[in-house]
């Protein structure tokens, strides 16, 4: 088909607009969509290879059931749903919903399925939701809750507008993370009035562009950031007027940072004190300054503390909720919730939820226990924890011990290979889908993607899978004819506003259906929408809630209605477009209304973390491990890696096998050279990798990428499966993690390295 069809990329949170050409169920060509308002034709090297996600030998095309001998057999949807529901109901009713866990909630661009999954959580009576976000970002969310009132507050950076940009633990030239990333970085580099500072142990692609590169020692970011803030406060460079107007707790902050031995902390960080002072002064004195932070500090030593310190940088200097600083973002659909401390704990490890999520590091412990309420069943959706979560060995052992493991995915992943049932989902290009990463500012956009290719085999979209499970569990009827009829009539005559009233009346009559509203919308309003758009029913509800909170901002995008009419207008704009559409336009000072403290002021002092800042001085050096003298930074982002979305190596134009970066002097000591194999061994396990010499890597430090190690069928489609590159979580341990959030220390894994035997 030579027609170019609009869609969007699914590989990072930006979700740039794309146009694709297709042939049957295959994507044959990809280009940037110049008509996309949010990305304006921008395209990265990864997105150009999306055809390899859509079509590969490990795609699932029919439901599978595990036989007693461990092999799989095809099974009908009806039989699979009936047996899964029967077994889940038995576990729920016999042992309690708290013995069931859900892992997932949609991949990067697959959020509609995750939203509908919330109804299944309610049907199973489980609060235990595990997700990749809780492996990466819950330290950040926990800090947001303390500072801004709720963990669901979401702070983003203003790189395009800032005069001074500080990049922490990120490599945006490769990983992107904000709109039109490379163009923005190039503009920043060319402008002599602006400054780019990169904090990274490695001379990354972005560090090479920087005005200043702070080559911090691996895992020592907390010392560096503490020293920077201490210098700002010592030298009176804080924004006193901002702090007086918008915050509490500055006195406690000043007392804490006055106790820091700045010279000692600088020495521990590995960065010269003069350079730290230069950046501290530059950031504080800049007209506008922003911080872009990512997993390099959020999955390293002191990860939760790091998230606190990076926020204090822009808060004490007044660069918050203003143009060119960091600011709270209005979200169309909440990505996360808020957990009251100590209210919901896991059964075995007694871990508290953060943002209504639980950390993957504890799940094997919750399963492999003789506790009467240990986890007995897990539903996994659109993710591969057996490979992507810390401690692959623990996950494989735990999943094999479950009474029931159900995997919903597009591919036969390592997790799926351990499952009792594998349910094949339509790919992200075979169904209506979207992402809720609506971070644009001042105008934020939302793209409801329409299917661009035909489904491959006997697959279903996740909302339909969840609806069938909930019906089979006896929580909803298979058909709701009266409400469906009203929905269809309302679509014909929207001015009557029949459906909202009928929905409210139905829920008043059937209050037990309230937890299942997403699926209720899908099963009724969904049938009134154009064919293939059933999953958009949830978005109608999201539009109604969004305009209740942000009517003025929605009207700024050109819509004129009020109340339900405004929600309907927004929904119609989204539904009928093939591209991203504006949701709302905010002014910077309106971001203060997104605060969740009663008085809209920041609570600067977090006692647990202030104590950690002072305690850093007594911390033993982590570089004196004789048995494991190297530090592995696991999960480096490179030109061609993308989590677990791509199964086969043929999509990679570079670094097919995931080489190991090592300093030439260390390689010489080990007597290895480019292309040779080495063994990397931790206290947990070992793997083999190929060497690439890189003098941009510090001594006694090595790096390996994420998104490798997947098994895939050979090209001939035979029974032999091959592993593509290193499985880095063979080296990681569940208990090597942050004490508050259990976020794994992927960026600081002690290892030893030696030449592989011939």
């Amino acid at each position: 088909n030579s027609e170019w069809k609009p869609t969007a990329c699914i590989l990072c949170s930006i979700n740039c607009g794309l146009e694709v050409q297709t042939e049957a169920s295959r994507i044959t060509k990809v280009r940037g969509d110049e008509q996309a308002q949010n990305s304006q034709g921008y395209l990265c090297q990864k997105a150009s290879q999306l055809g390899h996600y859509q079509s590969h030998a490990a795609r699932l095309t029919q439901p599978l059931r595990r036989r007693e001998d461990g092999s799989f057999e095809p099974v009908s949807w009806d039989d699979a749903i009936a047996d899964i529901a029967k077994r889940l109901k038995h576990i729920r009713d016999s042992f309690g919903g708290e013995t069931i866990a859900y892992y997932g909630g949609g991949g990067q661009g697959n959020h509609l399925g995750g939203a509908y999954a919330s109804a299944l959580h309610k049907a199973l009576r489980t609060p235990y939701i595990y997700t990749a976000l809780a492996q990466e970002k819950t330290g950040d969310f926990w800090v947001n809750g303390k500072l801004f009132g709720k963990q669901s507050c979401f702070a983003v950076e203003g790189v395009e507008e800032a005069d001074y940009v500080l990049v922490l633990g990120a490599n945006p030239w490769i990983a992107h993370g904000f709109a039109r990333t490379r163009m923005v970085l190039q503009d920043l580099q060319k402008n002599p009035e602006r400054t780019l500072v990169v904090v990274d142990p490695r001379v990354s692609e972005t560090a090479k562009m920087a005005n200043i590169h702070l080559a911090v020692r691996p895992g020592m970011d907390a010392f560096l950031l503490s020293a920077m803030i201490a210098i700002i406060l010592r030298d009176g460079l804080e924004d006193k007027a901002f702090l007086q107007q918008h915050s509490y707790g500055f006195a406690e902050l000043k007392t804490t940072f006055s106790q820091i031995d700045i010279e000692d902390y600088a020495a521990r960080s590995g960065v010269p004190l003069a350079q730290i002072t230069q950046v501290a002064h530059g950031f504080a004195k800049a007209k506008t300054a922003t911080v872009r932070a990512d997993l390099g500090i959020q999955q390293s030593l002191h990860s939760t503390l790091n998230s606190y310190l990076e926020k204090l940088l822009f808060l004490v200097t007044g660069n918050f909720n203003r143009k060119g600083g960091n600011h709270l973002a209005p979200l169309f659909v909440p990505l996360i919730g808020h957990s009251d401390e100590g209210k919901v704990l896991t059964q075995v490890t007694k871990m508290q939820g953060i943002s209504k999520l639980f950390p993957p590091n504890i799940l094997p412990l919750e399963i492999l226990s003789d506790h009467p309420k240990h986890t007995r069943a897990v539903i996994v959706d659109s993710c591969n924890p057996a490979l992507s979560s810390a401690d692959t060995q623990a996950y494989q052992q735990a999943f094999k011990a479950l009474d029931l493991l159900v995997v919903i995915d597009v591919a036969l992943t390592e997790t799926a290979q351990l499952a009792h049932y594998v349910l094949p989902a339509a790919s992200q290009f075979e169904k209506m889908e979207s992402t809720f990463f609506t971070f644009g500012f001042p105008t934020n956009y939302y793209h409801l993607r329409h299917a661009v290719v035909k489904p491959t085999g006997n697959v279903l979209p996740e909302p339909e899978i969840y609806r069938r499970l909930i019906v089979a569990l006896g929580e909803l009827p298979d058909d709701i004819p009266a409400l469906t009829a009203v929905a269809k009539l309302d679509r014909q005559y929207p001015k009557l506003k029949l459906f909202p009233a009928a929905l409210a009346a139905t829920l008043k009559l059937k209050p037990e259906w309230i937890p299942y509203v997403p699926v209720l919308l899908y099963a009724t309003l969904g049938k009134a929408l154009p064919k293939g758009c059933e999953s958009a029913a949830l978005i109608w509800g999201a539009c109604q809630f969004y305009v209740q909170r942000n009517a003025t901002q929605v009207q700024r995008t050109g819509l004129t209605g009020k109340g339900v009419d405004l929600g309907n207008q927004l929904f119609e704009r989204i539904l009928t477009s093939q591209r991203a559409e504006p949701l709302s336009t905010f002014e910077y000072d309106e971001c203060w209304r997104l605060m969740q403290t009663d008085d809209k002021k920041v609570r600067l002092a977090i006692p647990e973390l202030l104590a950690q800042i002072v305690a850093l001085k007594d911390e033993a050096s982590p570089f004196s491990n004789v048995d494991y003298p190297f530090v592995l930074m696991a999960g480096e982002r490179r030109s061609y890696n993308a989590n677990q979305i791509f199964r086969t190596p043929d999509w990679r134009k570079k670094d097919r096998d995931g080489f190991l970066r090592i300093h030439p002097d260390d390689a010489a000591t080990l007597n290895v050279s480019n292309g040779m194999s080495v063994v990397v061994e931790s206290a947990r396990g070992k793997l083999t990798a190929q060497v690439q010499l890189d003098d941009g890597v510090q001594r006694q430090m090595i790096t390996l990428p994420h998104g490798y190690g997947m098994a895939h069928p050979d090209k001939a489609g035979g029974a032999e499966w091959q592993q593509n590159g290193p499985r880095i979580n063979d080296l990681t341990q569940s208990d090597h993690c942050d004490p508050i959030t259990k976020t794994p220390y992927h960026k600081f894994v002690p290892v030893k390295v030696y030449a592989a035997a011939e």
Side-chain angles (χ1 to χ4, degrees):
N1 187 347
S2 60
E3 176 189 1
W4 287 97
K5 302 174 184 178
T7 184
C9 181
I10 59 174
L11 297 181
C12 85
S13 62
I14 303 306
N15 303 117
C16 298
L18 306 177
E19 289 186 308
V20 298
Q21 285 186 339
T22 64
E23 183 178 316
S25 62
R26 302 179 67 86
I27 293 174
T28 56
K29 292 183 180 180
V30 180
R31 70 184 184 189
D33 184 359
E34 295 184 356
Q35 296 183 56
Q37 298 179 70
N38 56 333
S39 55
Q40 303 170 37
Y42 185 82
L43 180 74
C44 80
Q45 73 285 353
K46 297 183 185 183
S48 66
Q49 304 295 305
L50 275 169
H52 292 281
Y53 158 77
Q54 172 62 24
S55 304
H56 57 75
R59 275 294 304 272
L60 292 165
T61 59
Q62 58 188 351
L64 300 174
R65 176 170 57 201
R66 179 175 294 283
R67 298 187 181 101
E68 288 188 7
D69 65 1
S71 63
F72 285 108
E73 63 181 357
V75 62
S76 71
W77 275 105
D78 287 347
D79 287 348
I81 294 293
D83 191 44
I84 291 168
K86 178 182 176 181
R87 295 170 71 172
L88 286 171
K89 190 171 184 179
H90 169 72
I91 294 169
R92 181 194 69 185
D93 296 347
S94 300
F95 305 103
E98 59 270 31
T99 65
I100 302 173
Y102 174 89
Y103 195 123
Q108 285 281 46
N110 201 37
H111 291 175
L112 276 184
Y116 282 104
S118 64
L120 182 65
H121 310 159
K122 301 295 195 302
L124 297 175
R125 321 286 194 260
T126 179
Y128 300 131
I129 316 303
Y130 295 85
T131 175
L133 273 178
Q135 181 169 276
E136 300 172 344
K137 299 287 186 179
T138 42
D140 192 65
F141 301 158
W142 186 85
V143 170
N144 287 343
K146 297 289 188 179
L147 294 172
F148 310 133
K150 288 287 179 67
Q151 294 157 1
S152 51
C153 291
F154 207 91
V156 296
E157 63 284 332
V159 177
E160 287 191 71
E161 306 291 347
D163 296 304
Y164 205 98
V165 177
L166 179 63
V167 175
L168 288 170
N171 184 13
W173 184 262
I174 295 297
H176 305 277
F178 45 89
R180 301 165 62 248
T181 305
R182 292 190 173 183
M183 298 173 69
V184 170
L185 287 174
Q186 288 170 336
D187 290 344
L188 181 58
Q189 184 185 35
K190 293 174 184 176
N191 191 334
E193 303 298 318
R194 303 175 72 197
T195 302
L196 173 62
V197 179
V198 173
V199 178
D200 199 313
R202 187 174 72 86
V203 185
S204 68
E205 290 82 353
T206 310
K208 291 175 183 176
M209 304 178 69
N211 301 93
I212 303 170
H213 172 213
L214 303 184
V216 64
R217 294 190 78 185
M220 298 294 102
D221 305 271
F223 290 93
L224 171 65
L225 296 173
S226 295
M228 285 180 62
I229 296 169
I231 290 168
I232 290 170
L233 300 185
R234 180 198 66 190
D235 296 345
L237 299 177
E238 71 272 14
D239 188 327
K240 297 176 179 62
F242 172 90
L243 293 167
Q244 176 69 30
Q245 182 180 355
H246 292 295
S247 73
Y248 290 113
F250 177 70
E252 294 96 314
L253 233 64
K254 189 150 189 175
T255 298
T256 297
F257 283 98
S258 68
Q259 300 175 49
I260 287 176
D261 183 335
I262 295 174
E263 290 189 7
D264 176 57
Y265 277 42
R268 297 280 292 272
S269 77
V271 179
L273 178 57
Q275 204 175 29
I276 297 174
T277 303
Q278 177 190 4
V279 172
H281 278 239
F283 190 93
K285 293 176 181 178
K287 183 179 179 182
T288 59
T290 195
V291 180
R292 164 65 185 166
D294 208 346
L295 299 185
I297 65 166
Q298 293 163 353
Q299 288 192 322
S300 188
L301 302 183
H302 321 108
S303 59
T304 301
L305 177 59
N306 289 338
S307 290
Y308 181 44
L309 292 168
E310 59 99 354
K311 289 175 174 57
L312 287 182
L313 265 178
F314 61 73
L315 288 169
V316 299
T317 57
N319 287 291
F320 184 55
N321 285 344
R322 59 177 292 199
K323 186 176 181 178
N326 293 72
H327 60 87
L328 295 182
L331 298 180
F332 178 42
V333 176
L335 286 168
I336 53 176
H338 174 80
S339 298
D340 293 325
E341 290 199 25
K343 189 172 182 180
V344 179
L345 304 176
T346 59
Q347 300 297 308
V348 177
T349 62
K350 303 303 178 185
M351 176 65 193
Q352 66 179 12
I354 299 173
S355 303
K356 305 279 188 193
L357 306 174
F358 291 86
N361 273 40
I362 68 167
L363 183 53
L365 296 173
E366 295 291 329
I367 297 170
L368 297 170
S369 170
D370 57 4
H371 190 286
K373 292 290 187 179
H374 75 269
T375 301
R376 296 173 178 271
V378 177
I379 296 95
V380 176
D381 177 11
S382 303
C383 56
N384 188 16
L387 200 63
S388 61
S389 294
D391 206 329
T392 288
Q393 296 176 59
Y395 260 92
Q396 290 179 338
Q397 182 185 1
F399 280 170
K400 289 175 183 177
L402 287 167
D403 294 348
L404 180 65
L405 175 61
V406 179
V407 171
I408 303 167
D409 213 315
V410 300
L412 192 61
T413 65
E414 285 69 21
T415 305
Q417 291 171 39
L418 300 170
H420 298 94
Y421 278 95
V422 183
L423 303 181
S427 84
Q428 298 190 38
F429 298 106
E430 297 171 351
K431 63 194 172 198
M432 177 156 275
E433 254 302 346
S434 73
T435 172
F436 300 139
F437 294 133
T438 53
F439 303 149
F441 204 88
T443 298
N444 56 339
Y445 295 88
Y446 173 69
H447 191 167
L448 187 61
R449 307 190 311 269
H450 293 242
V452 293
V453 292
K454 297 177 181 178
T456 303
N458 186 18
V459 299
L460 291 174
E462 291 90 341
E464 177 61 19
I465 296 173
Y466 290 125
R467 186 197 71 82
R468 293 188 185 193
L469 284 170
I470 289 169
V471 168
L473 285 163
E475 304 296 321
L476 284 177
D478 192 35
D479 190 27
I480 309 166
L483 193 56
T484 302
V486 173
K488 291 179 178 178
L489 188 61
D490 200 49
R491 291 291 299 168
Q492 288 182 292
Y493 306 102
K495 291 184 178 180
L496 297 178
K497 305 176 189 176
L498 298 173
F499 184 71
L503 178 63
T506 299
L507 296 175
K508 186 174 182 180
L509 185 65
K510 294 276 191 181
E512 66 272 19
W513 288 1
I514 292 175
Y516 313 120
V517 165
V519 168
L520 192 62
L521 288 172
Y522 171 82
T524 57
L525 178 59
K527 293 180 179 178
L529 299 178
K531 185 174 176 58
C533 298
E534 295 85 356
S535 300
L538 180 84
I539 301 306
W540 173 82
C543 289
Q544 298 300 337
F545 279 112
Y546 193 73
V547 300
Q548 287 178 23
R549 301 189 305 271
N550 307 299
T552 299
Q553 291 76 20
V554 172
Q555 289 166 344
R556 285 184 188 140
T557 67
L559 300 181
T560 57
K562 295 181 180 179
V564 173
D565 285 336
L566 182 59
N568 285 341
Q569 286 183 30
L570 182 59
F571 178 61
E572 289 303 314
R573 170 194 274 174
I574 289 168
L575 181 67
T576 57
S577 177
Q578 300 288 318
R579 294 181 167 87
E581 290 294 332
L583 290 170
S584 55
T585 299
F586 271 71
E587 303 291 341
Y588 281 93
D589 60 2
E590 290 173 338
C591 293
W592 287 105
R593 61 191 287 271
L594 303 175
M595 290 279 293
Q596 295 298 308
T597 52
D598 292 340
D599 54 9
K600 307 300 182 185
K601 290 189 176 184
V602 180
R603 303 298 192 262
L604 291 171
I606 303 178
E608 302 97 316
L609 299 181
L610 291 178
Q612 284 191 26
I613 292 167
V614 176
L616 287 173
K617 69 179 187 298
D618 299 319
E619 194 173 274
S621 171
F623 301 105
S624 56
N625 191 328
V626 177
D627 294 327
Y628 301 101
F630 281 85
V631 172
L632 165 66
M633 297 188 72
E636 181 192 342
R637 291 176 173 175
R638 296 183 181 172
S639 295
Y640 287 95
N641 59 340
N643 301 321
Q644 302 293 303
I645 287 177
F646 291 101
R647 301 298 303 172
T648 54
D650 50 345
W651 82 283
R652 293 191 171 96
K653 292 188 176 181
K654 296 180 181 178
D655 193 18
R656 181 182 177 92
D657 298 312
F659 51 72
L660 176 147
R661 300 186 198 267
I662 188 171
H663 193 280
D665 292 349
D666 286 329
T669 301
L670 299 172
N671 199 27
V672 297
S673 56
N674 270 330
M676 291 182 65
S677 293
V678 294
V679 175
V680 183
E681 184 175 344
S682 71
R684 184 56 166 146
K686 58 186 176 182
L687 56 78
T688 302
Q690 290 185 331
V691 163
Q692 184 183 72
L693 306 187
D694 184 348
D695 58 9
V697 173
Q698 295 185 23
R699 293 292 308 273
Q700 291 189 286
M701 163 188 161
I702 59 173
T703 73
L704 283 170
H706 66 79
Y708 287 75
M710 290 87 74
H712 61 94
D714 61 26
K715 286 191 173 182
E720 293 296 322
W721 283 57
Q722 303 167 4
Q723 181 179 323
N724 171 218
R727 301 195 317 185
I728 57 174
N729 282 311
D730 283 341
L731 302 174
T732 56
Q733 293 179 265
S734 299
D735 59 357
H736 186 53
C737 59
D738 185 87
I740 295 175
T741 65
K742 307 303 180 187
T743 305
Y745 292 149
H746 280 329
K747 309 305 178 187
F748 197 101
V749 182
V751 295
K752 56 184 173 183
V753 184
Y754 48 92
E758 290 296 330

